[in-house]
Structures are given as structure tokens and as C-alpha cells.
Amino acid sequence: ISMAKERLGSNAIFSGPQKGLTIIGNHCYGYSGSIAITSQIQTMLSFTTGKTYNIVRIQTGITQNGGGAQSDDIETVIKLNGNVVMSRMLSHNNESGLLEAIDLLIPPLTFVEVTCDNIQGTTSTPTQVSLVGKVYS
């Protein structure tokens, strides 16, 4: 579990995907990077917000032709303080590679966990989750 990291100025350079939340001024982001999803739940993002609230957009994508079977279905689950607030499925067979974005308000001091699971098969499917939003005090 990581706390939100605040970076300003030249220290705000993107250093690669991670499970945490990064805050730059009044904006925030989290990028999981590409993680192979099989038939086991994988944690894509995991962090606790600070004393501010965040309005964010979360999106799941799969790499087309990057692995996985055409029948794989990737389920994304978003939990706030251990409670499921949203669950969506992305079908490798029928989608263009991106799940429709989910907009959420995340309250202060909230543990956020975003997981993905291949609920249709056991094939390794490269999957990414991105979170982008604004921080309010």
C-alpha cells in the first residue's frame, strides 16, 4: 500500500508505471503498465489518498494481438476501502482494446484498489489500467 506521492516542478518527470498514485499540483495519475492477466486476480493499482478528494477517470485496455485468446474476458474491479464500487468486463473478442472510462469521486483518506482478472480463460492477456484526475482540497 502506498500513499499518494506529490511531485512538483522538474521532479514531476514520469519514471515508469507503478501501483501508486502520483500528484502533480492539483492533478493526479496512476499507470499500471502492461501486466499479464491470467486466471488469477492481479492488483493493477493500490494506494491510499491523502486529506484531499479526487475526481478521476479510470480506464482498462488490453493489447490487441499482444497475446491472449480471442475469447478472453478481462474483469476490472474497483474497490474503495475494501468495498466494490464498480465492476466492468472487457471482451478481447468484441472490443477495440479499451473499456469505456469510469468516472469516480474518491473521498479523502480512502484505500483504493483496482484489480483485473481473466474470467474466461487462462491465457496470458497483456492488460493496462490508467487513472487520471484532479485533486480538490
Side-chain angles (χ1 to χ4, degrees):
I1 303 171
S2 63
M3 292 294 289
K5 298 176 190 169
E6 184 168 346
R7 298 183 182 190
L8 301 172
S10 63
N11 292 335
I13 296 170
F14 178 70
S15 60
Q18 62 175 342
K19 292 182 182 178
L21 182 71
T22 299
I23 297 173
I24 303 173
N26 63 348
H27 292 87
C28 61
Y29 71 89
Y31 302 124
S32 70
S34 190
I35 297 175
I37 305 299
T38 57
S39 59
Q40 295 181 344
I41 296 172
Q42 295 287 330
T43 299
M44 306 298 279
L45 299 174
S46 177
F47 57 88
T48 300
T49 59
K51 295 181 181 181
T52 59
Y53 71 94
N54 304 285
I55 296 179
V56 301
R57 175 166 283 190
I58 301 172
Q59 190 161 31
T60 301
I62 56 176
T63 304
Q64 294 292 335
N65 302 319
Q70 288 299 105
S71 60
D72 288 347
D73 292 328
I74 303 298
E75 180 182 40
T76 300
V77 176
I78 302 168
K79 295 181 184 178
L80 301 181
N81 289 334
N83 299 290
V84 175
V85 295
M86 182 65 65
S87 176
R88 304 284 294 276
M89 187 169 35
L90 176 61
S91 173
H92 197 185
N93 190 32
N94 300 320
E95 300 291 339
S96 63
L98 288 175
L99 181 63
E100 183 178 323
I102 300 167
D103 295 323
L104 289 176
L105 184 147
I106 303 173
L109 306 173
T110 299
F111 174 62
V112 178
E113 184 178 39
V114 180
T115 62
C116 287
D117 187 9
N118 184 345
I119 61 172
Q120 184 64 30
T122 59
T123 310
S124 177
T125 302
T127 304
Q128 311 82 34
V129 171
S130 68
L131 176 151
V132 177
K134 192 162 182 186
V135 178
Y136 297 88
S137 48

